[in-house]
Amino acid sequence: VQLQAFGGGLVQAGGSLRLSCAASGRTFSNYAMGWFRQAPGKEREFVAVISWGGSIQDYADSVKGRFTISRDNAKNTVYLQMSSLKPEDTAVYYCAASRGAVPVRAYEYGYWGQGTLVTVSS
């Protein structure tokens, strides 16, 4: 499956941004979809995951209550709505696809998008 993430940009602290990830090539609804991020000088970290049907979501503690993951299987797209953004949310955000249930580890994902940069200014 091919993934393309977009929607990143520059936003002030406290603001909101919505990332999108469009999938093509295979049956999108067969895959759990996740978002990861990598800040400069840091390792890639889990942000959120949604099950193939959309009924189960899981979040990193650092984003719970601020970020919401959703998907539209008819549009082959997964979203990450980010609110109350903080400077520490600054990172390149990646979407990924997995045949697992609701995986939270990067190695459980077989397909990755190219990343989109989110910069939160203080």
Side-chain angles (χ1 to χ4, degrees):
V1 60
Q2 290 79 45
L3 303 172
Q4 184 173 5
F6 52 96
L10 175 63
V11 62
Q12 288 188 332
S16 299
L17 207 58
R18 188 177 82 157
L19 305 183
S20 301
C21 175
S24 62
R26 290 181 183 260
T27 305
F28 177 70
S29 58
N30 286 346
Y31 294 85
M33 297 297 298
W35 286 96
F36 288 74
R37 66 186 182 187
Q38 187 166 17
K42 296 188 176 181
E43 294 186 352
R44 190 171 299 190
E45 64 174 0
F46 166 75
V47 175
V49 61
I50 188 167
S51 60
W52 63 269
S55 61
I56 302 172
Q57 304 92 40
D58 195 10
Y59 299 90
D61 287 343
S62 59
V63 307
K64 277 182 182 176
R66 301 189 297 122
F67 291 11
T68 302
I69 189 171
S70 62
R71 67 189 295 161
D72 185 339
N73 285 347
K75 295 182 178 180
N76 289 351
T77 302
V78 62
Y79 306 96
L80 185 68
Q81 178 68 48
M82 305 184 293
S83 303
S84 302
L85 283 161
K86 306 175 181 179
E88 51 263 44
D89 294 318
T90 295
V92 176
Y93 283 72
Y94 299 89
C95 60
S98 171
R99 295 301 300 267
V102 279
V104 300
R105 295 175 178 82
Y107 71 81
E108 297 178 279
Y109 288 80
Y111 304 94
W112 292 83
Q114 84 288 1
T116 185
L117 176 62
V118 172
T119 303
V120 184
S121 63
S122 57

